[in-house]
Amino acid sequence: MHEEPKPSHSYIGLIAMAILSSKDKKLVLSDIYQWILDHYPYFRTRGPGWRNSIRHNLSLNDCFVKSGRSANGKGHYWAIHPANEEDFMKGDFRRRRAQRKVRK
DNA sequence: GGGTGTTTAAGACGCA
DNA sequence: TGCGTCTTAAACACCC
């Protein structure tokens, strides 16, 4: 049994899992989209919008780093930060040092 | 121009 | 009650 196609994690977790599940721990944006769509049909019916959020999380969090360019100069390969890699594998899908703005 | 990447803004929610 | 986190939307800079 098992795997329920339900969003049990936040975008951070989904993206992290997608990259961690890859062979070389590197994925392109299109690959990340595909992985999520392939594991969570929930987003298939969500229409556009979640894509924007994915990009947002990728760029906003320090956990996601760019690794070279894509195969055809489409975008960049996205990987997990070494420091956050361990945390993600532990199941700690939380936002690391990001958006550290002093909202006063 | 389209896709990608970055940034701002704001509303909803959980927690100490 | 305030703070931090998450989510969504949208404008905008960059690259082929």
Side-chain angles (χ1 to χ4, degrees), chain A residues 51-79:
Chain A
R51 294 189 187 191
N52 223 348
S53 300
I54 296 291
R55 285 193 243 143
H56 190 167
N57 281 275
L58 280 168
S59 297
L60 193 75
N61 287 266
D62 285 339
C63 339
F64 308 113
V65 294
K66 294 183 288 264
S67 194
R69 298 179 197 70
S70 75
N72 255 329
K74 234 182 168 189
H76 295 87
Y77 270 104
W78 288 95

Side-chain angles (χ1 to χ4, degrees), chain A residues 73-87:
Chain A
K74 234 182 168 189
H76 295 87
Y77 270 104
W78 288 95
I80 308 286
H81 203 274
N84 282 270
E85 194 183 308
E86 306 275 306
D87 289 289

Side-chain angles (χ1 to χ4, degrees), chain A residues 1-56:
Chain A
M1 339 329 124
H2 351 197
E3 273 158 308
E4 316 212 301
K6 290 186 202 163
S8 32
H9 303 276
S10 17
Y11 283 115
I12 322 268
L14 294 178
I15 298 168
M17 281 189 215
I19 298 177
L20 288 171
S21 309
S22 72
K23 240 161 79 160
D24 290 293
K25 288 230 5 264
K26 287 187 211 160
L27 285 180
V28 203
L29 213 110
S30 324
D31 287 327
I32 297 173
Y33 288 156
Q34 279 303 118
W35 189 95
I36 296 177
L37 287 173
D38 198 55
H39 285 256
Y40 295 89
Y42 163 76
F43 287 100
R44 269 179 98 236
T45 54
R46 221 153 204 244
W50 66 276
R51 294 189 187 191
N52 223 348
S53 300
I54 296 291
R55 285 193 243 143
H56 190 167

